[in-house]
Amino acid sequence: MPNYSYQCAEGCRFEALFPMTEVPSEMACRGCAAPAKRVITAPHLSAAGTAAFGLMDRAAASAHEPTVVSGPPPRGPARTQPVTHNPLHAKLPRP
């Protein structure tokens, strides 16, 4: 159900949930009981379900709930340097 914003003459502003078929253009204010008219507001667009939203959600969670680690990550198999038997390669500097 969509959220609708209302504002009365006293300046009170509140939101209410209604089905699209039953939205009143005016209702009683929750704070002062004065008549409140529906106000045009920006739509609440959602990016939920997208990769960007997931990235933002994980970044926000990691700021407040960092993962606890007990040590460095495990090492993979060691890379071996290929051995050459060319005598000209013996003159090259080694890393």
Side-chain angles (χ1 to χ4, degrees):
M1 283 193 291
N3 239 355
Y4 294 96
S5 295
Y6 290 88
Q7 184 173 1
C8 70
E10 300 294 324
C12 302
R13 196 171 193 143
F14 61 95
E15 292 185 350
L17 291 172
F18 292 105
M20 292 177 123
T21 58
E22 301 173 10
V23 182
S25 60
E26 194 173 285
M27 65 183 295
C29 178
R30 294 180 181 167
C32 61
K37 292 187 178 186
R38 195 167 91 201
V39 181
I40 304 285
T41 58
H44 300 285
L45 302 176
S46 174
T50 63
F53 185 78
L55 176 65
M56 290 185 292
D57 194 32
R58 286 189 301 278
S62 69
H64 301 290
E65 304 164 9
T67 56
V68 178
V69 295
S70 59
R75 296 180 126 207
R79 292 174 134 189
T80 57
Q81 293 286 334
V83 178
T84 178
H85 298 291
N86 187 335
L88 296 176
H89 291 168
K91 297 178 182 177
L92 294 174
R94 294 186 182 188

